[in-house]
């Protein structure tokens, strides 16, 4: 898994692997500017708690030299965003849903039937919900590294040892999410050092997974800024936010090959939602 990457990305991924999975890779010393750039990536991806654990794990590493203001920012963020006290990675995970109405109906039906099945696999259902949550995040807000890490932690938890691989594969086929799930699994392999055998729903390697992750963590613009597609101007004509439109279109095109039905439905749903909110 040797990649050509700059020192900021190398340290970022090493701290993520350490904070999330206990990896022991050493940290390289950086300038205060580069540490601040790294922390911007950490906060944008909402993985400050994982960053803090990584820093704590490397506190005796000679290469760990973040400036005091970075540590202060991390402490302040953690104080204002406390994590749940439970170790359950499903804790505080919002209810997952899909943009395509037909596929969402199938998803909800799978959840209902599995919960009432005589041979129910709660663990497998939990994994499916994390995958669907990550798909929603990737299409609407960009990749959630926090969500990918939750997926990896779930796979390495006791729940991960009790998965029904046959059911998971069947569900992913029904929901047309085979490739999207494989992308998430390949990120765990390419970025977080997972063995492919640890990710039962990955049947084919995807080297693009690494590049997609690098683009996601390197892009620091806030998705919440100017979050509108259309609005009515003073003249009464409808205006569109071309920057947001281009960004969302690029995101849709990036994931279209992985989930064409869900990606198209998500993009059209976003446009419809924006049009419905135009002030009369």
């Amino acid at each position: 898994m040797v990649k050509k990457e700059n020192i900021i990305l190398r340290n970022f991924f090493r701290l993520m692997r350490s904070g999330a999975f206990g990896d022991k890779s050493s940290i390289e010393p950086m300038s205060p500017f580069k540490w601040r750039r790294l922390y911007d990536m950490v906060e944008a991806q909402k993985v400050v708690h994982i960053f803090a654990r990584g820093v704590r794990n490397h506190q005796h590493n000679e290469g760990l030299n973040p400036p005091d203001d970075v540590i202060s920012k991390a402490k302040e963020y953690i104080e204002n965003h406390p994590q749940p006290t439970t170790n359950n990675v499903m804790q505080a995970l919002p209810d997952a849903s899909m943009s395509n109405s037909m596929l969402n109906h199938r998803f909800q039906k799978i959840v209902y039937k599995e919960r009432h099945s005589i041979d129910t696999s709660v663990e497998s259902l939990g994994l499916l919900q994390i995958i669907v949550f990550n798909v929603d995040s990737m299409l609407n807000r960009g990749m959630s590294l926090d969500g990918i890490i939750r997926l990896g932690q779930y796979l390495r938890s006791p729940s991960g040892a009790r998965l029904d691989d046959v059911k998971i594969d069947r569900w992913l086929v029904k929901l047309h999410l085979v490739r999207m799930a494989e992308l998430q699994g390949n990120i765990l392999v390419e970025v977080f050092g997972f063995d492919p055998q640890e990710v039962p729903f990955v049947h084919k390697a995807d080297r693009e997974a690494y590049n997609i992750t690098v683009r996601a963590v390197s892009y620091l613009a806030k998705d919440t800024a100017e979050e509108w597609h259309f609005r009515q101007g003073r003249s009464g004509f409808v205006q569109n936010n071309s920057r947001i439109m281009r960004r969302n279109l690029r995101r849709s095109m990036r994931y279209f090959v992985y989930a064409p039905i869900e990606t198209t439905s998500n993009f059209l749903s976003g446009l419809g939602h924006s049009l419905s909110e135009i002030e009369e």
Side-chain angles (χ1 to χ4, degrees):
M1 200 183 70
V2 177
K3 300 287 191 305
K4 272 193 157 184
E5 55 191 17
N6 62 50
I7 187 172
I8 300 175
L9 283 172
R10 285 200 299 273
N11 279 343
F12 175 81
F13 288 137
R14 287 171 182 173
L15 287 168
M16 292 299 100
R17 289 194 292 267
S18 176
F21 304 110
D23 184 81
K24 303 297 183 182
S25 299
S26 60
I27 304 301
E28 301 173 69
M30 295 193 301
S31 67
F33 170 81
K34 290 181 178 178
W35 274 109
R36 292 178 186 118
R37 174 71 180 180
L38 185 151
Y39 183 76
D40 287 342
M41 294 160 63
V42 166
E43 198 165 282
Q45 281 290 324
K46 296 181 173 58
V47 287
V48 180
H49 292 81
I50 295 166
F51 167 77
R53 287 197 295 272
V55 168
R56 186 168 60 247
N57 291 344
H58 287 85
Q59 58 184 312
H60 301 301
N61 190 307
E62 292 182 359
L64 189 74
N65 64 334
D68 292 341
D69 59 294
V70 166
I71 299 301
S72 297
K73 281 184 179 179
K75 288 181 177 177
E76 182 180 354
Y77 183 97
I78 290 171
E79 288 173 1
N80 294 326
H81 301 81
Q83 280 194 320
T85 55
T86 177
N87 291 322
N88 184 356
V89 298
M90 295 292 292
Q91 181 73 22
L93 189 71
D95 290 336
S97 63
M98 300 185 68
S99 297
N100 182 272
S101 57
M102 178 191 70
L103 295 181
N104 190 53
H105 176 73
R106 287 185 188 178
F107 172 60
Q108 301 303 335
K109 189 175 179 181
I110 287 170
V111 173
Y112 179 83
K113 288 183 68 175
E114 189 61 24
R115 284 176 175 168
H116 295 84
S117 173
I118 58 173
D119 64 337
T120 183
S121 175
V122 176
E123 296 81 10
S124 301
L125 198 56
L127 180 77
L128 180 67
Q129 290 173 306
I130 295 175
I131 291 173
V132 172
F133 169 80
N134 284 342
V135 170
D136 177 73
S137 178
M138 292 163 93
L139 295 180
N140 287 297
R141 297 171 294 281
M143 182 189 298
S144 165
L145 207 59
D146 176 60
I148 299 295
I149 288 171
R150 283 177 187 261
L151 178 63
Q153 291 174 330
Y154 192 83
L155 287 169
R156 287 186 173 176
S157 72
S159 295
R162 296 191 292 270
L163 297 175
D164 187 324
D165 299 351
V166 174
K167 282 187 175 182
I168 293 168
D169 284 343
R170 185 171 68 245
W171 294 338
L172 293 175
V173 169
K174 282 186 176 181
L175 298 176
H176 295 270
L177 291 180
V178 172
R179 290 205 62 195
M180 204 63 149
E182 283 193 322
L183 172 61
Q184 296 177 39
N186 274 299
I187 292 171
L188 290 174
V189 173
E190 292 293 313
V191 177
F192 291 99
F194 274 55
D195 188 298
Q197 299 299 319
E198 294 182 88
V199 194
F201 49 88
V202 169
H203 306 292
K204 184 179 179 182
D206 183 0
R207 303 305 176 192
E208 187 61 20
Y210 178 83
N211 295 326
I212 288 175
T213 308
V214 168
R215 279 198 297 268
V217 301
S218 300
Y219 182 70
L220 301 180
K222 301 297 184 183
D223 268 0
T224 54
E226 292 187 273
E227 196 58 76
W228 57 274
H229 296 91
F230 301 98
R231 71 182 178 192
Q232 192 171 32
R234 292 179 180 177
S235 63
F237 291 101
V238 175
Q239 302 171 328
N240 76 299
N241 187 333
S242 59
R243 183 179 63 83
I244 296 293
M245 286 280 288
R246 286 195 302 270
R247 185 200 66 194
N248 290 349
L249 182 59
R250 282 197 302 269
R251 180 190 299 146
S252 295
M253 294 302 295
R254 183 179 307 139
Y255 294 118
F256 181 82
V257 295
Y258 293 99
I261 297 175
E262 180 66 3
T263 300
T264 302
S265 296
N266 181 271
F267 184 73
L268 294 177
S269 174
L271 291 181
H273 179 71
S274 296
L275 285 169
S276 69
E277 291 190 342
I278 295 176
E279 293 184 2
E280 297 295 338

